Short mmCIF file of all heavy atoms in Angstrom, two decimals:
data_model
loop_
_atom_site.label_atom_id
_atom_site.label_comp_id
_atom_site.label_asym_id
_atom_site.label_seq_id
_atom_site.Cartn_x
_atom_site.Cartn_y
_atom_site.Cartn_z
N MET A 25 2.20 -14.93 5.86
CA MET A 25 1.03 -14.18 5.45
C MET A 25 0.77 -13.10 6.49
O MET A 25 0.85 -13.33 7.68
CB MET A 25 -0.17 -15.13 5.35
CG MET A 25 -1.39 -14.46 4.80
SD MET A 25 -2.86 -15.53 4.68
CE MET A 25 -2.28 -16.90 3.76
N SER A 26 0.46 -11.88 6.03
CA SER A 26 0.23 -10.78 6.95
C SER A 26 -1.09 -10.93 7.70
O SER A 26 -1.96 -11.68 7.29
CB SER A 26 0.23 -9.44 6.19
OG SER A 26 -0.92 -9.34 5.39
N SER A 27 -1.21 -10.22 8.80
CA SER A 27 -2.46 -10.28 9.56
C SER A 27 -3.61 -9.73 8.75
O SER A 27 -4.75 -10.14 8.92
CB SER A 27 -2.32 -9.52 10.88
OG SER A 27 -2.03 -8.15 10.62
N ILE A 28 -3.31 -8.80 7.86
CA ILE A 28 -4.36 -8.24 7.01
C ILE A 28 -4.86 -9.29 6.04
O ILE A 28 -6.05 -9.38 5.78
CB ILE A 28 -3.84 -7.01 6.26
CG1 ILE A 28 -3.70 -5.87 7.26
CG2 ILE A 28 -4.74 -6.62 5.13
CD1 ILE A 28 -3.36 -4.55 6.71
N ALA A 29 -3.98 -10.12 5.51
CA ALA A 29 -4.39 -11.15 4.56
C ALA A 29 -5.39 -12.10 5.19
O ALA A 29 -6.31 -12.57 4.51
CB ALA A 29 -3.17 -11.91 4.06
N THR A 30 -5.25 -12.38 6.46
CA THR A 30 -6.18 -13.28 7.12
C THR A 30 -7.54 -12.64 7.34
O THR A 30 -8.54 -13.32 7.49
CB THR A 30 -5.63 -13.77 8.47
OG1 THR A 30 -5.39 -12.65 9.31
CG2 THR A 30 -4.37 -14.56 8.30
N GLU A 31 -7.61 -11.30 7.35
CA GLU A 31 -8.87 -10.59 7.55
C GLU A 31 -9.64 -10.38 6.25
O GLU A 31 -10.78 -9.93 6.28
CB GLU A 31 -8.60 -9.22 8.18
CG GLU A 31 -8.01 -9.30 9.57
CD GLU A 31 -7.69 -7.91 10.11
OE1 GLU A 31 -8.31 -6.94 9.65
OE2 GLU A 31 -6.82 -7.82 10.99
N LYS A 32 -9.05 -10.66 5.11
CA LYS A 32 -9.64 -10.32 3.82
C LYS A 32 -10.76 -11.25 3.38
O LYS A 32 -11.47 -10.94 2.45
CB LYS A 32 -8.57 -10.31 2.74
CG LYS A 32 -7.60 -9.18 2.85
CD LYS A 32 -6.60 -9.25 1.74
CE LYS A 32 -5.58 -8.15 1.87
NZ LYS A 32 -4.56 -8.24 0.85
N LYS A 33 -10.92 -12.37 4.02
CA LYS A 33 -11.87 -13.37 3.55
C LYS A 33 -13.29 -12.83 3.48
O LYS A 33 -13.85 -12.39 4.48
CB LYS A 33 -11.83 -14.59 4.45
CG LYS A 33 -10.50 -15.29 4.43
CD LYS A 33 -10.46 -16.45 5.37
CE LYS A 33 -9.07 -17.07 5.33
NZ LYS A 33 -8.93 -18.12 6.31
N GLY A 34 -13.88 -12.86 2.30
CA GLY A 34 -15.29 -12.55 2.12
C GLY A 34 -15.67 -11.09 2.20
O GLY A 34 -16.85 -10.78 2.28
N MET A 35 -14.71 -10.16 2.19
CA MET A 35 -15.08 -8.76 2.24
C MET A 35 -14.05 -7.92 1.51
O MET A 35 -12.95 -8.37 1.25
CB MET A 35 -15.21 -8.28 3.68
CG MET A 35 -13.94 -8.41 4.49
SD MET A 35 -14.23 -8.00 6.20
CE MET A 35 -13.34 -6.48 6.32
N ILE A 36 -14.44 -6.72 1.17
CA ILE A 36 -13.51 -5.80 0.55
C ILE A 36 -12.70 -5.20 1.68
O ILE A 36 -13.25 -4.64 2.62
CB ILE A 36 -14.25 -4.71 -0.23
CG1 ILE A 36 -15.03 -5.32 -1.38
CG2 ILE A 36 -13.27 -3.65 -0.73
CD1 ILE A 36 -15.89 -4.35 -2.13
N TYR A 37 -11.39 -5.36 1.60
CA TYR A 37 -10.54 -4.91 2.68
C TYR A 37 -9.35 -4.20 2.12
O TYR A 37 -8.86 -4.59 1.09
CB TYR A 37 -10.08 -6.10 3.54
CG TYR A 37 -9.35 -5.63 4.75
CD1 TYR A 37 -10.04 -5.28 5.89
CD2 TYR A 37 -7.98 -5.47 4.74
CE1 TYR A 37 -9.38 -4.81 7.00
CE2 TYR A 37 -7.32 -5.00 5.84
CZ TYR A 37 -8.02 -4.67 6.97
OH TYR A 37 -7.37 -4.19 8.06
N PRO A 38 -8.85 -3.24 2.73
CA PRO A 38 -9.30 -2.60 3.97
C PRO A 38 -10.37 -1.56 3.69
O PRO A 38 -10.49 -1.07 2.57
CB PRO A 38 -8.04 -1.95 4.53
CG PRO A 38 -7.17 -1.72 3.34
CD PRO A 38 -7.52 -2.78 2.32
N ALA A 39 -11.09 -1.20 4.71
CA ALA A 39 -12.15 -0.21 4.58
C ALA A 39 -11.53 1.16 4.32
O ALA A 39 -10.46 1.48 4.82
CB ALA A 39 -12.98 -0.16 5.85
N MET A 40 -12.21 1.96 3.52
CA MET A 40 -11.72 3.29 3.20
C MET A 40 -11.52 4.12 4.46
O MET A 40 -10.58 4.91 4.55
CB MET A 40 -12.69 3.98 2.23
CG MET A 40 -12.18 5.26 1.67
SD MET A 40 -10.68 4.97 0.70
CE MET A 40 -10.03 6.62 0.65
N SER A 41 -12.37 3.94 5.45
CA SER A 41 -12.23 4.71 6.69
C SER A 41 -10.91 4.39 7.39
O SER A 41 -10.29 5.27 7.99
CB SER A 41 -13.41 4.43 7.62
OG SER A 41 -13.46 3.06 7.95
N LYS A 42 -10.47 3.15 7.30
CA LYS A 42 -9.20 2.76 7.91
C LYS A 42 -8.03 3.39 7.15
O LYS A 42 -7.06 3.84 7.75
CB LYS A 42 -9.07 1.24 7.94
CG LYS A 42 -7.91 0.75 8.75
CD LYS A 42 -8.01 -0.72 9.02
CE LYS A 42 -6.95 -1.12 10.05
NZ LYS A 42 -7.07 -2.51 10.42
N LEU A 43 -8.13 3.41 5.83
CA LEU A 43 -7.07 4.01 5.02
C LEU A 43 -7.02 5.51 5.20
O LEU A 43 -5.95 6.11 5.31
CB LEU A 43 -7.27 3.66 3.55
CG LEU A 43 -7.15 2.18 3.20
CD1 LEU A 43 -7.57 1.96 1.75
CD2 LEU A 43 -5.77 1.65 3.46
N SER A 44 -8.19 6.15 5.26
CA SER A 44 -8.22 7.61 5.37
C SER A 44 -7.77 8.10 6.74
O SER A 44 -7.49 9.28 6.92
CB SER A 44 -9.60 8.17 5.03
OG SER A 44 -10.56 7.71 5.94
N ALA A 45 -7.64 7.21 7.71
CA ALA A 45 -7.08 7.57 9.00
C ALA A 45 -5.59 7.89 8.87
O ALA A 45 -5.04 8.63 9.67
CB ALA A 45 -7.28 6.44 10.01
N HIS A 46 -4.95 7.35 7.82
CA HIS A 46 -3.51 7.54 7.62
C HIS A 46 -3.20 8.47 6.45
O HIS A 46 -2.13 9.07 6.42
CB HIS A 46 -2.83 6.20 7.41
CG HIS A 46 -3.06 5.26 8.54
ND1 HIS A 46 -2.48 5.41 9.77
CD2 HIS A 46 -3.85 4.16 8.65
CE1 HIS A 46 -2.88 4.45 10.58
NE2 HIS A 46 -3.72 3.67 9.91
N VAL A 47 -4.09 8.53 5.48
CA VAL A 47 -3.92 9.41 4.31
C VAL A 47 -5.23 10.17 4.14
O VAL A 47 -6.28 9.55 3.99
CB VAL A 47 -3.58 8.60 3.04
CG1 VAL A 47 -3.41 9.52 1.85
CG2 VAL A 47 -2.32 7.77 3.24
N PRO A 48 -5.19 11.51 4.20
CA PRO A 48 -6.41 12.31 4.32
C PRO A 48 -7.43 12.26 3.18
O PRO A 48 -8.60 12.47 3.43
CB PRO A 48 -5.89 13.73 4.51
CG PRO A 48 -4.50 13.72 4.03
CD PRO A 48 -3.99 12.32 4.19
N ASN A 49 -7.02 12.02 1.95
CA ASN A 49 -8.02 11.96 0.88
C ASN A 49 -7.67 10.90 -0.15
O ASN A 49 -6.54 10.44 -0.22
CB ASN A 49 -8.22 13.35 0.24
CG ASN A 49 -7.01 13.82 -0.53
OD1 ASN A 49 -6.58 13.17 -1.48
ND2 ASN A 49 -6.44 14.95 -0.13
N ARG A 50 -8.65 10.54 -0.94
CA ARG A 50 -8.50 9.44 -1.90
C ARG A 50 -7.44 9.71 -2.96
O ARG A 50 -6.73 8.80 -3.37
CB ARG A 50 -9.84 9.17 -2.59
CG ARG A 50 -10.87 8.62 -1.67
CD ARG A 50 -12.22 8.57 -2.35
NE ARG A 50 -13.26 8.27 -1.38
CZ ARG A 50 -14.05 7.22 -1.45
NH1 ARG A 50 -13.95 6.39 -2.46
NH2 ARG A 50 -14.93 7.01 -0.53
N TYR A 51 -7.34 10.96 -3.40
CA TYR A 51 -6.38 11.28 -4.45
C TYR A 51 -4.95 11.13 -3.94
O TYR A 51 -4.09 10.59 -4.62
CB TYR A 51 -6.64 12.68 -4.99
CG TYR A 51 -8.06 12.81 -5.49
CD1 TYR A 51 -9.02 13.50 -4.76
CD2 TYR A 51 -8.44 12.19 -6.68
CE1 TYR A 51 -10.34 13.58 -5.21
CE2 TYR A 51 -9.75 12.26 -7.14
CZ TYR A 51 -10.69 12.95 -6.40
OH TYR A 51 -11.98 13.02 -6.85
N MET A 52 -4.71 11.59 -2.72
CA MET A 52 -3.40 11.43 -2.13
C MET A 52 -3.13 9.95 -1.85
O MET A 52 -2.00 9.48 -2.02
CB MET A 52 -3.29 12.24 -0.84
CG MET A 52 -1.87 12.29 -0.31
SD MET A 52 -1.72 13.34 1.14
CE MET A 52 -2.03 14.94 0.42
N LEU A 53 -4.15 9.21 -1.45
CA LEU A 53 -4.01 7.78 -1.20
C LEU A 53 -3.53 7.06 -2.46
O LEU A 53 -2.63 6.22 -2.40
CB LEU A 53 -5.32 7.18 -0.70
CG LEU A 53 -5.32 5.68 -0.49
CD1 LEU A 53 -4.36 5.29 0.64
CD2 LEU A 53 -6.73 5.19 -0.18
N VAL A 54 -4.12 7.39 -3.59
CA VAL A 54 -3.71 6.78 -4.86
C VAL A 54 -2.24 7.05 -5.12
O VAL A 54 -1.48 6.14 -5.50
CB VAL A 54 -4.59 7.30 -6.02
CG1 VAL A 54 -4.00 6.90 -7.37
CG2 VAL A 54 -6.00 6.80 -5.88
N ASN A 55 -1.80 8.28 -4.89
CA ASN A 55 -0.40 8.63 -5.11
C ASN A 55 0.53 7.90 -4.15
O ASN A 55 1.57 7.39 -4.55
CB ASN A 55 -0.19 10.14 -4.99
CG ASN A 55 -0.73 10.88 -6.17
OD1 ASN A 55 -0.51 10.48 -7.30
ND2 ASN A 55 -1.44 11.96 -5.93
N VAL A 56 0.16 7.85 -2.88
CA VAL A 56 0.99 7.17 -1.89
C VAL A 56 1.10 5.68 -2.21
O VAL A 56 2.20 5.12 -2.21
CB VAL A 56 0.42 7.39 -0.46
CG1 VAL A 56 1.07 6.47 0.55
CG2 VAL A 56 0.58 8.84 -0.04
N VAL A 57 -0.03 5.05 -2.50
CA VAL A 57 -0.02 3.62 -2.79
C VAL A 57 0.76 3.32 -4.08
O VAL A 57 1.56 2.39 -4.12
CB VAL A 57 -1.46 3.06 -2.86
CG1 VAL A 57 -1.48 1.65 -3.43
CG2 VAL A 57 -2.10 3.09 -1.48
N ALA A 58 0.56 4.13 -5.11
CA ALA A 58 1.27 3.90 -6.37
C ALA A 58 2.78 4.05 -6.19
O ALA A 58 3.56 3.22 -6.67
CB ALA A 58 0.78 4.87 -7.43
N ARG A 59 3.18 5.09 -5.48
CA ARG A 59 4.61 5.32 -5.26
C ARG A 59 5.22 4.17 -4.44
O ARG A 59 6.27 3.65 -4.77
CB ARG A 59 4.80 6.66 -4.55
CG ARG A 59 6.18 7.06 -4.18
CD ARG A 59 6.98 7.69 -5.30
NE ARG A 59 6.23 8.56 -6.16
CZ ARG A 59 6.60 9.77 -6.52
NH1 ARG A 59 7.69 10.29 -6.02
NH2 ARG A 59 5.89 10.47 -7.37
N ARG A 60 4.54 3.76 -3.37
CA ARG A 60 5.05 2.68 -2.53
C ARG A 60 5.07 1.35 -3.28
O ARG A 60 6.01 0.55 -3.15
CB ARG A 60 4.23 2.56 -1.25
CG ARG A 60 4.71 1.49 -0.32
CD ARG A 60 6.12 1.76 0.19
NE ARG A 60 6.57 0.65 1.02
CZ ARG A 60 7.74 0.06 0.90
NH1 ARG A 60 8.65 0.50 0.04
NH2 ARG A 60 8.05 -0.95 1.67
N ALA A 61 4.04 1.10 -4.09
CA ALA A 61 4.00 -0.14 -4.88
C ALA A 61 5.18 -0.20 -5.84
O ALA A 61 5.79 -1.27 -6.02
CB ALA A 61 2.68 -0.23 -5.63
N ARG A 62 5.52 0.93 -6.46
CA ARG A 62 6.69 0.96 -7.34
C ARG A 62 7.96 0.65 -6.57
O ARG A 62 8.83 -0.08 -7.05
CB ARG A 62 6.82 2.32 -8.03
CG ARG A 62 5.98 2.39 -9.28
CD ARG A 62 6.26 3.68 -10.07
NE ARG A 62 4.96 4.28 -10.30
CZ ARG A 62 4.51 5.39 -9.75
NH1 ARG A 62 5.26 6.10 -8.94
NH2 ARG A 62 3.30 5.83 -10.00
N GLN A 63 8.08 1.21 -5.37
CA GLN A 63 9.26 0.94 -4.54
C GLN A 63 9.37 -0.54 -4.20
O GLN A 63 10.45 -1.13 -4.27
CB GLN A 63 9.20 1.76 -3.24
CG GLN A 63 9.37 3.24 -3.43
CD GLN A 63 9.10 4.01 -2.14
OE1 GLN A 63 8.57 3.49 -1.17
NE2 GLN A 63 9.46 5.29 -2.15
N ILE A 64 8.25 -1.14 -3.82
CA ILE A 64 8.22 -2.56 -3.47
C ILE A 64 8.60 -3.42 -4.68
O ILE A 64 9.42 -4.33 -4.57
CB ILE A 64 6.82 -2.96 -2.94
CG1 ILE A 64 6.58 -2.30 -1.57
CG2 ILE A 64 6.68 -4.48 -2.85
CD1 ILE A 64 5.13 -2.40 -1.09
N ALA A 65 8.02 -3.12 -5.83
CA ALA A 65 8.29 -3.90 -7.04
C ALA A 65 9.75 -3.77 -7.46
O ALA A 65 10.40 -4.76 -7.84
CB ALA A 65 7.37 -3.46 -8.17
N GLU A 66 10.29 -2.54 -7.41
CA GLU A 66 11.68 -2.33 -7.79
C GLU A 66 12.63 -3.04 -6.83
O GLU A 66 13.63 -3.63 -7.26
CB GLU A 66 11.99 -0.83 -7.84
CG GLU A 66 11.36 -0.14 -9.02
CD GLU A 66 11.50 1.38 -8.98
OE1 GLU A 66 12.12 1.92 -8.03
OE2 GLU A 66 10.96 2.03 -9.89
N ALA A 67 12.34 -3.00 -5.53
CA ALA A 67 13.19 -3.67 -4.55
C ALA A 67 13.18 -5.19 -4.78
O ALA A 67 14.23 -5.84 -4.71
CB ALA A 67 12.73 -3.35 -3.13
N ALA A 68 12.01 -5.74 -5.05
CA ALA A 68 11.92 -7.18 -5.31
C ALA A 68 12.70 -7.56 -6.56
O ALA A 68 13.39 -8.58 -6.59
CB ALA A 68 10.46 -7.60 -5.44
N GLU A 69 12.61 -6.73 -7.59
CA GLU A 69 13.33 -7.01 -8.83
C GLU A 69 14.84 -6.92 -8.60
O GLU A 69 15.59 -7.77 -9.06
CB GLU A 69 12.91 -6.02 -9.92
CG GLU A 69 13.52 -6.33 -11.26
CD GLU A 69 13.00 -5.42 -12.36
OE1 GLU A 69 11.87 -4.94 -12.26
OE2 GLU A 69 13.77 -5.21 -13.32
N ASP A 70 15.28 -5.89 -7.87
CA ASP A 70 16.71 -5.72 -7.58
C ASP A 70 17.26 -6.90 -6.78
O ASP A 70 18.39 -7.33 -6.99
CB ASP A 70 16.97 -4.42 -6.83
CG ASP A 70 16.74 -3.18 -7.70
OD1 ASP A 70 16.65 -3.32 -8.94
OD2 ASP A 70 16.65 -2.08 -7.12
N GLU A 71 16.46 -7.40 -5.84
CA GLU A 71 16.90 -8.50 -4.98
C GLU A 71 16.70 -9.86 -5.65
O GLU A 71 17.16 -10.88 -5.14
CB GLU A 71 16.13 -8.47 -3.66
CG GLU A 71 16.42 -7.24 -2.83
CD GLU A 71 15.45 -7.07 -1.67
OE1 GLU A 71 14.58 -7.95 -1.47
OE2 GLU A 71 15.57 -6.06 -0.97
N GLY A 72 15.95 -9.88 -6.74
CA GLY A 72 15.67 -11.13 -7.43
C GLY A 72 14.68 -12.01 -6.69
O GLY A 72 14.72 -13.23 -6.81
N THR A 73 13.80 -11.38 -5.92
CA THR A 73 12.80 -12.14 -5.17
C THR A 73 11.44 -12.04 -5.84
O THR A 73 11.16 -11.11 -6.58
CB THR A 73 12.67 -11.64 -3.72
OG1 THR A 73 12.30 -10.25 -3.73
CG2 THR A 73 13.96 -11.80 -2.95
N ARG A 74 10.62 -13.02 -5.57
CA ARG A 74 9.27 -13.07 -6.12
C ARG A 74 8.30 -12.62 -5.03
O ARG A 74 8.37 -13.09 -3.90
CB ARG A 74 8.93 -14.49 -6.55
CG ARG A 74 7.58 -14.63 -7.20
CD ARG A 74 7.34 -16.09 -7.61
NE ARG A 74 6.01 -16.26 -8.11
CZ ARG A 74 4.93 -16.42 -7.35
NH1 ARG A 74 5.04 -16.44 -6.04
NH2 ARG A 74 3.74 -16.59 -7.88
N LEU A 75 7.41 -11.72 -5.38
CA LEU A 75 6.41 -11.24 -4.42
C LEU A 75 5.28 -12.25 -4.30
O LEU A 75 4.80 -12.78 -5.31
CB LEU A 75 5.84 -9.89 -4.86
CG LEU A 75 6.82 -8.72 -4.89
CD1 LEU A 75 6.14 -7.50 -5.50
CD2 LEU A 75 7.34 -8.41 -3.51
N GLU A 76 4.85 -12.52 -3.08
CA GLU A 76 3.74 -13.44 -2.84
C GLU A 76 2.40 -12.81 -3.22
O GLU A 76 1.46 -13.50 -3.58
CB GLU A 76 3.72 -13.85 -1.37
CG GLU A 76 5.00 -14.48 -0.90
CD GLU A 76 4.90 -15.97 -0.77
OE1 GLU A 76 3.79 -16.49 -0.62
OE2 GLU A 76 5.96 -16.62 -0.82
N GLU A 77 2.32 -11.48 -3.07
CA GLU A 77 1.11 -10.74 -3.43
C GLU A 77 1.52 -9.61 -4.35
O GLU A 77 2.70 -9.28 -4.46
CB GLU A 77 0.44 -10.16 -2.18
CG GLU A 77 -0.09 -11.21 -1.24
CD GLU A 77 -0.92 -10.59 -0.12
OE1 GLU A 77 -1.90 -9.90 -0.43
OE2 GLU A 77 -0.57 -10.79 1.04
N LYS A 78 0.55 -8.98 -4.99
CA LYS A 78 0.85 -7.85 -5.87
C LYS A 78 1.39 -6.70 -5.04
O LYS A 78 1.01 -6.50 -3.89
CB LYS A 78 -0.40 -7.42 -6.62
CG LYS A 78 -0.87 -8.47 -7.61
CD LYS A 78 -2.07 -8.00 -8.37
CE LYS A 78 -2.49 -9.07 -9.36
NZ LYS A 78 -3.65 -8.66 -10.15
N ALA A 79 2.26 -5.91 -5.66
CA ALA A 79 2.88 -4.78 -4.97
C ALA A 79 1.84 -3.78 -4.48
O ALA A 79 1.98 -3.22 -3.39
CB ALA A 79 3.89 -4.10 -5.90
N VAL A 80 0.79 -3.57 -5.24
CA VAL A 80 -0.27 -2.64 -4.83
C VAL A 80 -0.96 -3.15 -3.57
O VAL A 80 -1.24 -2.38 -2.64
CB VAL A 80 -1.29 -2.40 -5.97
CG1 VAL A 80 -2.49 -1.62 -5.49
CG2 VAL A 80 -0.62 -1.71 -7.14
N THR A 81 -1.22 -4.43 -3.50
CA THR A 81 -1.85 -5.02 -2.32
C THR A 81 -0.97 -4.82 -1.10
O THR A 81 -1.45 -4.44 -0.02
CB THR A 81 -2.12 -6.51 -2.53
OG1 THR A 81 -2.99 -6.66 -3.66
CG2 THR A 81 -2.75 -7.15 -1.31
N LEU A 82 0.32 -5.05 -1.25
CA LEU A 82 1.25 -4.87 -0.15
C LEU A 82 1.30 -3.42 0.30
O LEU A 82 1.34 -3.13 1.50
CB LEU A 82 2.65 -5.36 -0.55
CG LEU A 82 2.76 -6.85 -0.86
CD1 LEU A 82 4.13 -7.18 -1.44
CD2 LEU A 82 2.49 -7.68 0.39
N ALA A 83 1.28 -2.50 -0.65
CA ALA A 83 1.30 -1.07 -0.32
C ALA A 83 0.04 -0.65 0.42
O ALA A 83 0.10 0.09 1.41
CB ALA A 83 1.49 -0.24 -1.58
N ILE A 84 -1.12 -1.12 -0.03
CA ILE A 84 -2.38 -0.80 0.65
C ILE A 84 -2.37 -1.36 2.07
O ILE A 84 -2.80 -0.70 3.02
CB ILE A 84 -3.59 -1.33 -0.15
CG1 ILE A 84 -3.76 -0.51 -1.42
CG2 ILE A 84 -4.87 -1.30 0.69
CD1 ILE A 84 -4.78 -1.04 -2.38
N ASP A 85 -1.85 -2.58 2.22
CA ASP A 85 -1.76 -3.18 3.55
C ASP A 85 -0.87 -2.33 4.48
O ASP A 85 -1.19 -2.15 5.65
CB ASP A 85 -1.21 -4.60 3.46
CG ASP A 85 -2.21 -5.59 2.87
OD1 ASP A 85 -3.39 -5.23 2.70
OD2 ASP A 85 -1.80 -6.73 2.59
N GLU A 86 0.22 -1.81 3.94
CA GLU A 86 1.11 -0.98 4.75
C GLU A 86 0.40 0.30 5.21
O GLU A 86 0.57 0.72 6.35
CB GLU A 86 2.38 -0.62 3.98
CG GLU A 86 3.33 -1.78 3.84
CD GLU A 86 4.63 -1.40 3.14
OE1 GLU A 86 4.84 -0.21 2.82
OE2 GLU A 86 5.45 -2.31 2.92
N VAL A 87 -0.40 0.89 4.34
CA VAL A 87 -1.16 2.09 4.73
C VAL A 87 -2.17 1.72 5.81
O VAL A 87 -2.29 2.41 6.83
CB VAL A 87 -1.88 2.73 3.52
CG1 VAL A 87 -2.82 3.84 3.98
CG2 VAL A 87 -0.87 3.28 2.52
N ALA A 88 -2.90 0.63 5.62
CA ALA A 88 -3.92 0.22 6.58
C ALA A 88 -3.32 -0.06 7.96
O ALA A 88 -3.96 0.20 8.98
CB ALA A 88 -4.66 -1.02 6.07
N LEU A 89 -2.09 -0.57 7.98
CA LEU A 89 -1.43 -0.87 9.24
C LEU A 89 -0.75 0.36 9.85
O LEU A 89 -0.20 0.29 10.94
CB LEU A 89 -0.39 -1.97 9.04
CG LEU A 89 -0.94 -3.36 8.74
CD1 LEU A 89 0.18 -4.31 8.34
CD2 LEU A 89 -1.70 -3.89 9.94
N GLY A 90 -0.76 1.47 9.12
CA GLY A 90 -0.14 2.69 9.62
C GLY A 90 1.37 2.73 9.45
O GLY A 90 2.04 3.57 10.02
N LYS A 91 1.90 1.82 8.62
CA LYS A 91 3.35 1.79 8.40
C LYS A 91 3.82 2.94 7.51
O LYS A 91 4.96 3.37 7.61
CB LYS A 91 3.78 0.46 7.77
CG LYS A 91 3.64 -0.72 8.72
CD LYS A 91 4.12 -1.99 8.05
CE LYS A 91 4.03 -3.17 9.01
NZ LYS A 91 4.52 -4.40 8.36
N ILE A 92 2.94 3.38 6.61
CA ILE A 92 3.28 4.52 5.76
C ILE A 92 2.10 5.47 5.71
O ILE A 92 0.95 5.09 5.90
CB ILE A 92 3.67 4.11 4.31
CG1 ILE A 92 2.52 3.38 3.61
CG2 ILE A 92 4.92 3.28 4.29
CD1 ILE A 92 2.74 3.23 2.12
N ASP A 93 2.42 6.73 5.46
CA ASP A 93 1.40 7.74 5.23
C ASP A 93 1.99 8.77 4.26
O ASP A 93 3.10 8.59 3.77
CB ASP A 93 0.92 8.38 6.53
CG ASP A 93 2.04 9.05 7.31
OD1 ASP A 93 3.06 9.44 6.70
OD2 ASP A 93 1.90 9.19 8.53
N ALA A 94 1.28 9.81 4.00
CA ALA A 94 1.72 10.79 3.00
C ALA A 94 2.82 11.70 3.52
O ALA A 94 3.50 12.34 2.73
CB ALA A 94 0.53 11.62 2.53
N SER A 95 3.03 11.76 4.82
CA SER A 95 3.96 12.74 5.38
C SER A 95 5.41 12.54 4.95
O SER A 95 6.14 13.49 4.77
CB SER A 95 3.87 12.73 6.91
OG SER A 95 4.31 11.50 7.42
N GLY A 96 5.82 11.31 4.78
CA GLY A 96 7.22 11.05 4.45
C GLY A 96 7.50 10.80 3.00
O GLY A 96 8.61 10.43 2.64
N MET A 97 6.54 11.02 2.13
CA MET A 97 6.72 10.68 0.73
C MET A 97 6.77 11.92 -0.14
O MET A 97 6.00 12.85 0.04
CB MET A 97 5.60 9.76 0.23
CG MET A 97 5.54 8.47 0.99
SD MET A 97 4.55 7.25 0.15
CE MET A 97 5.77 6.51 -0.88
N ASP A 98 7.68 11.91 -1.10
CA ASP A 98 7.75 12.98 -2.09
C ASP A 98 6.75 12.61 -3.18
O ASP A 98 6.96 11.67 -3.93
CB ASP A 98 9.16 13.07 -2.67
CG ASP A 98 9.28 14.09 -3.78
OD1 ASP A 98 8.34 14.90 -3.96
OD2 ASP A 98 10.30 14.08 -4.47
N LEU A 99 5.65 13.36 -3.25
CA LEU A 99 4.59 13.05 -4.21
C LEU A 99 4.61 13.94 -5.43
O LEU A 99 3.66 13.97 -6.20
CB LEU A 99 3.23 13.14 -3.50
CG LEU A 99 3.05 12.19 -2.31
CD1 LEU A 99 1.75 12.46 -1.62
CD2 LEU A 99 3.14 10.75 -2.75
N THR A 100 5.71 14.65 -5.63
CA THR A 100 5.82 15.50 -6.81
C THR A 100 6.05 14.64 -8.03
O THR A 100 6.63 13.56 -7.95
CB THR A 100 6.96 16.52 -6.67
OG1 THR A 100 8.18 15.81 -6.45
CG2 THR A 100 6.72 17.46 -5.50
N ILE A 101 5.59 15.13 -9.15
CA ILE A 101 5.77 14.41 -10.41
C ILE A 101 7.20 14.66 -10.90
O ILE A 101 7.68 15.77 -10.89
CB ILE A 101 4.75 14.90 -11.47
CG1 ILE A 101 3.35 14.62 -10.97
CG2 ILE A 101 5.01 14.23 -12.81
CD1 ILE A 101 2.27 15.21 -11.84
N GLY A 102 7.83 13.58 -11.32
CA GLY A 102 9.17 13.82 -11.82
C GLY A 102 9.96 12.63 -12.09
O GLY A 102 9.88 11.55 -12.08
#
């Protein structure tokens, strides 16, 4: 279980301020999280593994931890 999962008890987590430290606005955050969640889900399917949490939750956790941000992602539609 991630360190973020242990912090989630009884509150909405992560705080928007923590997420916006890594992704500058909400609209870009939605795109980054959606794109990363798709990558996580596709990788799990290709490997035949079962995710312990939803792909979106894992993607949000990665943003909150600073593992991903908008700088390295192609956010163009296509």
Side-chain angles (χ1 to χ4, degrees):
M25 185 181 307
S26 70
S27 61
I28 288 187
T30 59
E31 296 177 24
K32 290 181 183 177
K33 296 178 183 175
M35 60 186 250
I36 296 175
Y37 187 85
M40 189 62 198
S41 60
K42 190 166 190 176
L43 296 172
S44 64
H46 303 288
V47 180
N49 68 60
R50 292 171 190 240
Y51 303 105
M52 190 176 292
L53 176 65
V54 168
N55 286 315
V56 168
V57 169
R59 178 82 38 131
R60 181 63 184 133
R62 275 188 232 111
Q63 291 172 347
I64 291 168
E66 288 172 1
E69 186 175 332
D70 290 346
E71 295 168 3
T73 59
R74 183 179 174 278
L75 296 173
E76 303 257 337
E77 295 188 58
K78 292 182 180 181
V80 172
T81 301
L82 296 172
I84 290 172
D85 288 350
E86 287 183 4
V87 172
L89 291 171
K91 291 182 178 181
I92 61 168
D93 59 24
S95 65
M97 300 195 88
D98 176 12
L99 300 174
T100 58
I101 299 173

